[in-house]
Amino acid sequence: MTGLRWGILATGGIAASFASDLRTAGLDLVAVGSRSQESADAFAARFDIAHAHPSYEALAADPDVDIIYVGTPHPMHHENARLALENGKHVIAEKAFTLNRAEAEDLQRLAAEKGLLVTEAMWTRYLPHMVRIREIIAEGTLGEIRAVSADHTQLLPSDPAHRLNALELGGGALLDLGIYPISFVHDILGAPTEVRAVGRLIETGADAEVATIMTHEGGAISTTLSSSRAAGPNAASIVGTAARIDIDRVWYSPTSFRVVQPDGTVIEEYVSEVEGRGMQYQALNAERLVRDGILEGDILPIAESVAIMGTLDEIRSQIGVRYPREEATHG
């Protein structure tokens, strides 16, 4: 281990999950920053954190912090990650990485200028079952991959004022839920060469359902579905000419999968055994990267996060979703 000293920017539910898993992994969590001292103090007490800062600026300036996890809502990721990078901190920013590709490219440039690591906190990529799946693919067990499908569908609050439905907070199924299957197909098939998307918008202008059909290099096809108004199977599959992988519910968290031949023979079964939620694996990966002086990332390079944001931009363009900040910037 590098002995990186971790700071957490924000004190919401996802930040609490990350802090808990940092403790599970025995990593050095030393500071938290919030918009109020009261919130920072409560979070620090809950997770036995030495430094509780009443502002994000104070956290970013803390000389005892080496790397900052950004757990704020989507529209703040760019600003918060930029603050951390400008103060010389490595960064893991929650997914979706930013609001759009332009913001992601800006963080990519700044991190390169500063010689710092910036990565997207797409924790699914780092889970043991996903590591094994990539090994199976690399071994050629599936043959030529022809199709990938995944859904992320949940019954979430329908209150128009809720963060998930508020456009000004990056609300909608795509950035909160769709990012998982979109990132998944990028991981398995690479960036799409063609994107077709349909969606249903609610009264706030946010997307409640989004479906995509995408073509990838070599002609492979991916399909994804995300919904914030109905709970579906939350399963995924990778279909090759020699075998397929069926990933069980909930595919994007620690789970099980089977490798199945065309005649139905199961040639491998995998069951995850993970302590905690599983968010510690992305932190352990960041520690290794910094230790080895690798600042681009390997499991999820920043260049790939930029490409994923470009795919999300194209999907939003096709379904008619634009965020207020983009309207103010570009008219």
Side-chain angles (χ1 to χ4, degrees):
M1 286 297 102
T2 61
L4 288 182
R5 297 166 299 178
W6 288 80
I8 292 187
L9 191 152
T11 55
I14 194 70
S17 295
F18 188 73
S20 178
D21 282 350
L22 285 182
R23 288 295 186 220
T24 294
L27 300 185
D28 194 9
L29 175 54
V30 301
V32 61
S34 180
R35 289 175 294 182
S36 74
Q37 188 68 65
E38 181 181 13
S39 177
D41 287 342
F43 195 93
R46 179 180 175 186
F47 295 104
D48 190 25
I49 300 171
H51 304 295
H53 297 289
S55 70
Y56 300 152
E57 291 77 10
L59 172 66
D62 189 334
D64 291 332
V65 172
D66 302 310
I67 184 167
I68 289 177
Y69 164 82
V70 174
T72 47
H74 310 302
M76 282 72 106
H77 289 178
H78 174 253
E79 175 186 348
N80 297 153
R82 202 169 218 290
L83 173 68
L85 291 168
E86 287 172 339
N87 280 269
K89 316 300 187 191
H90 302 289
V91 171
I92 293 184
E94 257 311 323
K95 76 289 171 226
F97 186 53
T98 52
L99 268 187
N100 53 44
R101 179 171 183 141
E103 290 184 350
E105 288 174 334
D106 180 64
L107 294 180
Q108 181 185 29
R109 284 192 299 268
L110 181 58
E113 290 170 5
K114 297 283 188 179
L116 295 166
L117 175 71
V118 61
T119 63
E120 181 182 8
M122 175 46 73
W123 62 295
T124 301
R125 289 276 183 116
Y126 303 88
L127 292 173
H129 77 281
M130 285 303 305
V131 172
R132 178 57 189 144
I133 284 171
R134 286 192 292 270
E135 290 173 348
I136 291 168
I137 292 171
E139 291 163 1
T141 304
L142 302 189
E144 183 184 1
I145 298 175
R146 302 310 308 153
V148 173
S149 65
D151 80 300
H152 190 174
T153 48
Q154 296 189 37
L155 181 59
L156 299 175
S158 59
D159 179 1
H162 193 282
R163 175 189 71 80
L164 292 164
N165 303 309
L167 269 184
E168 65 273 16
L169 294 178
L174 187 63
L175 291 196
D176 261 280
L177 308 179
I179 178 62
Y180 284 87
I182 297 298
S183 182
F184 176 64
V185 299
H186 268 258
D187 188 13
I188 304 303
L189 295 176
T193 56
E194 182 182 8
V195 176
R196 298 179 186 178
V198 294
R200 182 177 72 86
L201 309 187
I202 56 173
E203 62 271 23
T204 65
D207 51 287
E209 279 95 25
V210 180
T212 69
I213 300 176
M214 299 188 286
T215 306
H216 302 258
E217 185 176 354
I221 291 174
S222 68
T223 59
T224 76
L225 172 65
S226 55
S227 174
S228 60
R229 296 298 174 88
N234 288 303
S237 65
I238 304 169
V239 180
T241 54
R244 73 177 190 271
I245 296 176
D246 294 332
I247 314 176
D248 295 326
R249 178 181 180 89
V250 173
W251 71 266
Y252 51 82
S253 63
T255 189
S256 54
F257 70 79
R258 289 163 308 288
V259 182
V260 185
Q261 293 179 325
D263 65 359
T265 301
V266 176
I267 57 175
E268 180 172 336
E269 292 189 68
Y270 184 98
V271 178
S272 293
E273 294 182 3
V274 170
E275 187 177 0
R277 189 182 187 207
M279 299 182 78
Q280 65 270 30
Y281 293 100
Q282 61 190 348
L284 291 165
N285 178 261
E287 293 250 350
R288 179 182 60 80
L289 292 172
V290 173
R291 179 197 67 204
D292 294 344
I294 303 170
L295 300 179
E296 168 61 12
D298 48 7
I299 291 176
L300 180 53
I302 183 61
E304 188 172 351
S305 290
V306 169
I308 290 167
M309 291 313 306
T311 300
L312 295 178
D313 285 354
E314 176 59 27
I315 293 168
R316 287 196 298 114
S317 174
Q318 291 188 26
I319 66 175
V321 172
R322 197 168 187 183
Y323 303 117
R325 177 177 295 182
E326 294 173 315
E327 297 287 354
T329 302
H330 303 292

